[in-house]
């Protein structure tokens, strides 16, 4: 029974770390990244649609993103959505492809982005700790109901703490990597 709880906790913690990594991909760094446009939604015929569903996004150069809409009539809507986003990118349109030059970041903007990354990472760590807390509560309930002995509970708690430490360490590694990417000039 406790093995099932630990497997579920591991799975949920993996998902939390994966969510942090996905959030990090939407944070702008000095170079062009296709994940940068993942948060952008376009008003397409009255419906808010993710940009990825309307266009092919590519990073042909280190400081350039290209957006090629599947439907040319959506070009204006896509440009408008990019300009209204908080990314600070200015699209240029040649009729078939929207090009987005990614300017170099200022030192102040880099510091702000690093703070954002740390905040996102802390949210991820809190999610991992909440999963640990929920699993501990379930273990206590099993012990209270007599389905699991106290020795098994202690072993499961130790394994759960090790799982939690491993996942928070993975989040820390992602933070270091993203911080280095942002601060790279």
């Amino acid at each position: 029974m406790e093995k099932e709880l630990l497997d579920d906790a591991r799975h949920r913690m993996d998902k939390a770390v994966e969510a942090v990594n996905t959030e990090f991909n939407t944070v702008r760094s000095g170079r062009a990244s296709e994940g940068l446009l993942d948060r952008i939604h376009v008003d397409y015929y009255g419906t808010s649609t993710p940009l990825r569903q309307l266009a092919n996004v590519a990073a042909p150069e280190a400081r350039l993103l290209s957006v090629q809409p599947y439907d040319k009539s959506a070009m204006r809507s896509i440009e408008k959505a990019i300009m209204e986003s908080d990314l600070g990118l200015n699209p240029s349109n040649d009729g078939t492809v929207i090009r987005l030059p990614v300017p170099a970041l200022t030192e102040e903007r880099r510091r702000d982005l690093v703070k954002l990354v740390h905040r996102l990472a802390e949210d991820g760590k809190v999610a991992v700790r909440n999963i640990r807390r929920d699993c501990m509560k379930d273990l206590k309930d099993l012990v209270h109901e007599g389905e699991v002995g106290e020795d098994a509970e202690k072993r499961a708690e130790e394994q759960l703490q090790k799982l939690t430490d491993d996942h928070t360490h993975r989040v820390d590694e992602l933070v270091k990597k993203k911080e280095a990417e942002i601060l790279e000039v």
Side-chain angles (χ1 to χ4, degrees), residues 40-53:
I40 294 183
H41 282 65
V42 179
D43 182 29
Y44 186 63
Y45 293 110
T47 305
S48 179
T49 310
L51 176 64
R52 292 284 193 151
Q53 291 181 8

Side-chain angles (χ1 to χ4, degrees), residues 23-76:
E23 284 294 316
F24 282 0
N25 287 339
T26 65
V27 175
R28 186 174 155 202
S29 62
R31 70 175 72 100
S33 165
E34 297 164 9
L36 195 58
L37 303 177
D38 284 350
R39 289 185 299 172
I40 294 183
H41 282 65
V42 179
D43 182 29
Y44 186 63
Y45 293 110
T47 305
S48 179
T49 310
L51 176 64
R52 292 284 193 151
Q53 291 181 8
L54 296 175
N56 182 32
V57 179
E61 297 174 22
R63 295 211 180 264
L64 181 71
L65 285 171
S66 67
V67 180
Q68 188 168 15
Y70 302 128
D71 178 9
K72 302 291 183 231
S73 66
M75 185 103 42
R76 291 263 184 259

Side-chain angles (χ1 to χ4, degrees), residues 12 19 30 37 41 78 83 105 119 128 138 155 169 179:
R12 290 172 51 203
L37 303 177
H41 282 65
I78 292 172
M83 283 191 276
L105 296 170
R119 192 167 51 248
V128 168
D138 293 342
R155 279 193 303 275
H169 181 70
E179 191 173 342

Side-chain angles (χ1 to χ4, degrees), residues 113-129:
L113 290 174
V114 168
K115 286 178 189 173
L116 173 65
V117 165
H118 283 281
R119 192 167 51 248
L120 293 172
E122 191 55 39
D123 291 347
K125 288 180 185 179
V126 168
V128 168
R129 289 187 212 112

Side-chain angles (χ1 to χ4, degrees), residues 17 25 34 36 39 60 74 92 98 128 154 162 174:
V17 171
N25 287 339
E34 297 164 9
L36 195 58
R39 289 185 299 172
S92 65
I98 298 171
V128 168
K154 285 289 180 207
K162 186 177 182 315
L174 290 172

Side-chain angles (χ1 to χ4, degrees), residues 4 7 15 31 42 48 81 97 102-103:
E4 293 170 8
D7 287 344
K15 290 283 188 193
R31 70 175 72 100
V42 179
S48 179
V97 177
V102 179

